[in-house]
Amino acid sequence: MIGLSILLLLGVLDWDDCLSEKSAWDTLAWFAVLVGMAGQLTNLGVVTWMSSCVAKVLQSVSLSWPAAFGILQASYFLIHYLFASQTGHVGALYSAFLAMHLAAGVPGTLAALALAFNTNLFGAITHYSSGQAAVYYGAGYVDLPDVFKVGFTMALINALIWGVTGTFWWKFLGLY
């Protein structure tokens, strides 16, 4: 907003230029609402509640660390549908999920790196999942149902690649 204000004050843009960029205003409005919702999820304790529920379930079923790793990674990924930004998601959940991984016996380096890599993968699952996704959607070339279909399809493909190739690669690297 400061940058836009400077451009308007210096005459680089006029107000008609701003009004003609409807997709930019649409993106700004979406993010304002979704970032506010993500903040409220954290403030109201929903994030803490979700983390404790997942931890209790994993403790009650006594899973091996590889099984717990898979469930926690999938949960971390899918919970992103509730967040408007990768930064908000990481800020709210990364440390909680890392603690759950460690409590389940997942090797620390593997847990920390996999959560970080996973954060990059969920940046395209919805039109509000990252700043880039909002810009692509806001350009108007892809309809909203298609964004969700393609995002979910790519999530499945990435999970398959990570589950098969990643397992062997991480073993080769000595992460577990």
Side-chain angles (χ1 to χ4, degrees), residues 15 39 42 54 93 103 112 134 150 161:
W15 191 243
T42 302
V54 172
L93 296 179
V150 171
I161 291 169

Side-chain angles (χ1 to χ4, degrees), residues 143-165:
D143 293 330
L144 187 58
D146 292 334
V147 171
F148 279 95
K149 288 176 194 171
V150 171
F152 184 74
T153 302
M154 289 310 302
L156 291 177
I157 291 169
N158 283 324
L160 182 65
I161 291 169
W162 277 52
V164 176
T165 308

Side-chain angles (χ1 to χ4, degrees), residues 3-4 6 30 76 85 103 115 120 132-133 135 139 146 162:
L4 177 61
I6 291 170
W30 269 101
Y76 184 73
S85 73
L115 287 171
N120 287 320
Q132 304 89 321
V135 171
D146 292 334
W162 277 52

Side-chain angles (χ1 to χ4, degrees), residues 35 37-52 76 79-80 82-100 115 119 122:
V35 168
M37 285 173 44
Q40 286 302 309
L41 286 172
T42 302
N43 292 340
L44 295 173
V46 174
V47 171
T48 304
W49 172 76
M50 284 191 302
S51 297
S52 67
Y76 184 73
I79 287 172
H80 190 64
L82 302 175
F83 285 86
S85 73
Q86 291 167 305
T87 305
H89 185 156
V90 170
L93 296 179
Y94 184 89
S95 60
F97 269 82
L98 183 57
M100 286 187 276
L115 287 171
T119 299
F122 59 57

